[in-house]
Amino acid sequence: MRQPTTLSSSSLLAGLRAAGEETRLRILALLAEGELSVSDLTDILGQSQPRISRHLKLLAEAGLVRRYREGAWAFFRLDESGAGGAFAASLAAWLDRADPELAADRERLAAVRSARAEAAQSYFASVARDWDRLRSLHVPDDAVEAAVEAAAGEGSSGAVLDLGTGTGRMLERIAPKFGRAIGVDASHAMLAVARANLEKAGLSRVELRQGDIHALPFARGTFDLVIIHQVLHFLDDPGRALREAAAMLAPGGRLIVVDFAPHEMEFLRTEHAHRRLGFSRAQIAGWFAEAGLSCDLSEEVTSAEGASGQLSVMLWRGRDRRVQGDFPLRKNSSFEVA
């Protein structure tokens, strides 16, 4: 997606006024390193939450940063959807990284990220036993990830959306192939794990959002690829989720779905909140058709040895039937709905 590259004189002056203060310039330098919460910034800068919030409000009003809710938390990042964010990034790039104050800020940022990673590991350790049990029932994760990567193709300068991103593992594999990547999950705890994992992988600029898969906070026609990996079986209405995901696709965009084939393991319903015990090829193809997608790939994922495990993992790929010229919204759509 092409981003605006120029600012009006009034917008530029507003941006200069907002950035022209020591703490706010330090905030922009930190946000150029990736997304941060108000709490993160208070810890790094050693200032009160009301003061930091006031600085962030001014930066947001000038169009330099954007605010995102995640439950009771608020996260901020440079506004990459407009020229204001590009202007802020250029200001941050001009700053001398050897400046003692900025270097100290980055050291405290590293400490904050380390604490995040430790908290994420602690959470993941508490659920790892159940995860390991489930993973032993089907083909190894590496095989599934490789299959998704192959189905995604070579990528593009466009955007990818991972719904139910969980630990962020799929984004680790796919995000580097795209110009922009966003992960959505309903769980704040899982987003904390994903955030730590992506930062560790050097992908701190990947965006993570808490949200409802049935009511996504993005403009229609925004993404070139949408991934739904092992999510549908938790939902009461998978067809509705697929229609919402398809609405996110640009003309010719692709939707990749990974889930289980039909099975009879009732303990997954009673012990692990699975609402559906797998899906048939016909079910997914039918939902794709209702959503305006053609199913151009439907395959079982197997390991290098050809094994699939007790639970068969299926991969489906749907492709949007429209051509680029049929969807003028694509040119000016932004990632977030106001």
Side-chain angles (χ1 to χ4, degrees), residues 116 183 201 204 270:
R116 269 190 200 165
S204 61
T270 57

mmCIF file with all atom_site columns, all heavy atoms in Angstrom, residues 116 183 201 204 270:
data_model
loop_
_atom_site.group_PDB
_atom_site.id
_atom_site.type_symbol
_atom_site.label_atom_id
_atom_site.label_alt_id
_atom_site.label_comp_id
_atom_site.label_asym_id
_atom_site.label_entity_id
_atom_site.label_seq_id
_atom_site.pdbx_PDB_ins_code
_atom_site.Cartn_x
_atom_site.Cartn_y
_atom_site.Cartn_z
_atom_site.occupancy
_atom_site.B_iso_or_equiv
_atom_site.pdbx_formal_charge
_atom_site.auth_seq_id
_atom_site.auth_comp_id
_atom_site.auth_asym_id
_atom_site.auth_atom_id
_atom_site.pdbx_PDB_model_num
ATOM 1  N N   . ARG A 1 116 ? 9.694   -8.374  30.079 1.00 0.00 ? 116 ARG A N   1
ATOM 2  C CA  . ARG A 1 116 ? 8.575   -8.899  29.301 1.00 0.00 ? 116 ARG A CA  1
ATOM 3  C C   . ARG A 1 116 ? 8.800   -10.364 28.952 1.00 0.00 ? 116 ARG A C   1
ATOM 4  O O   . ARG A 1 116 ? 7.919   -11.210 29.059 1.00 0.00 ? 116 ARG A O   1
ATOM 5  C CB  . ARG A 1 116 ? 8.441   -8.122  27.994 1.00 0.00 ? 116 ARG A CB  1
ATOM 6  C CG  . ARG A 1 116 ? 7.543   -6.927  28.006 1.00 0.00 ? 116 ARG A CG  1
ATOM 7  C CD  . ARG A 1 116 ? 7.399   -6.510  26.559 1.00 0.00 ? 116 ARG A CD  1
ATOM 8  N NE  . ARG A 1 116 ? 6.964   -5.146  26.421 1.00 0.00 ? 116 ARG A NE  1
ATOM 9  C CZ  . ARG A 1 116 ? 7.033   -4.466  25.294 1.00 0.00 ? 116 ARG A CZ  1
ATOM 10 N NH1 . ARG A 1 116 ? 7.564   -5.027  24.223 1.00 0.00 ? 116 ARG A NH1 1
ATOM 11 N NH2 . ARG A 1 116 ? 6.593   -3.232  25.218 1.00 0.00 ? 116 ARG A NH2 1
ATOM 12 N N   . GLY A 1 183 ? -0.725  -8.992  13.955 1.00 0.00 ? 183 GLY A N   1
ATOM 13 C CA  . GLY A 1 183 ? -1.294  -10.172 14.594 1.00 0.00 ? 183 GLY A CA  1
ATOM 14 C C   . GLY A 1 183 ? -2.411  -9.761  15.538 1.00 0.00 ? 183 GLY A C   1
ATOM 15 O O   . GLY A 1 183 ? -2.301  -8.760  16.245 1.00 0.00 ? 183 GLY A O   1
ATOM 16 N N   . ALA A 1 201 ? 13.072  -12.225 18.210 1.00 0.00 ? 201 ALA A N   1
ATOM 17 C CA  . ALA A 1 201 ? 13.389  -12.585 16.826 1.00 0.00 ? 201 ALA A CA  1
ATOM 18 C C   . ALA A 1 201 ? 13.772  -11.361 15.990 1.00 0.00 ? 201 ALA A C   1
ATOM 19 O O   . ALA A 1 201 ? 14.006  -11.489 14.784 1.00 0.00 ? 201 ALA A O   1
ATOM 20 C CB  . ALA A 1 201 ? 12.197  -13.297 16.182 1.00 0.00 ? 201 ALA A CB  1
ATOM 21 N N   . SER A 1 204 ? 10.387  -6.426  16.158 1.00 0.00 ? 204 SER A N   1
ATOM 22 C CA  . SER A 1 204 ? 9.651   -5.550  17.069 1.00 0.00 ? 204 SER A CA  1
ATOM 23 C C   . SER A 1 204 ? 8.679   -4.628  16.341 1.00 0.00 ? 204 SER A C   1
ATOM 24 O O   . SER A 1 204 ? 7.789   -4.054  16.963 1.00 0.00 ? 204 SER A O   1
ATOM 25 C CB  . SER A 1 204 ? 10.624  -4.718  17.911 1.00 0.00 ? 204 SER A CB  1
ATOM 26 O OG  . SER A 1 204 ? 11.420  -3.892  17.089 1.00 0.00 ? 204 SER A OG  1
ATOM 27 N N   . THR A 1 270 ? -14.208 -31.219 26.016 1.00 0.00 ? 270 THR A N   1
ATOM 28 C CA  . THR A 1 270 ? -14.489 -31.094 27.444 1.00 0.00 ? 270 THR A CA  1
ATOM 29 C C   . THR A 1 270 ? -13.338 -30.479 28.235 1.00 0.00 ? 270 THR A C   1
ATOM 30 O O   . THR A 1 270 ? -13.550 -29.794 29.233 1.00 0.00 ? 270 THR A O   1
ATOM 31 C CB  . THR A 1 270 ? -14.839 -32.465 28.045 1.00 0.00 ? 270 THR A CB  1
ATOM 32 O OG1 . THR A 1 270 ? -13.749 -33.373 27.806 1.00 0.00 ? 270 THR A OG1 1
ATOM 33 C CG2 . THR A 1 270 ? -16.111 -33.028 27.419 1.00 0.00 ? 270 THR A CG2 1
#
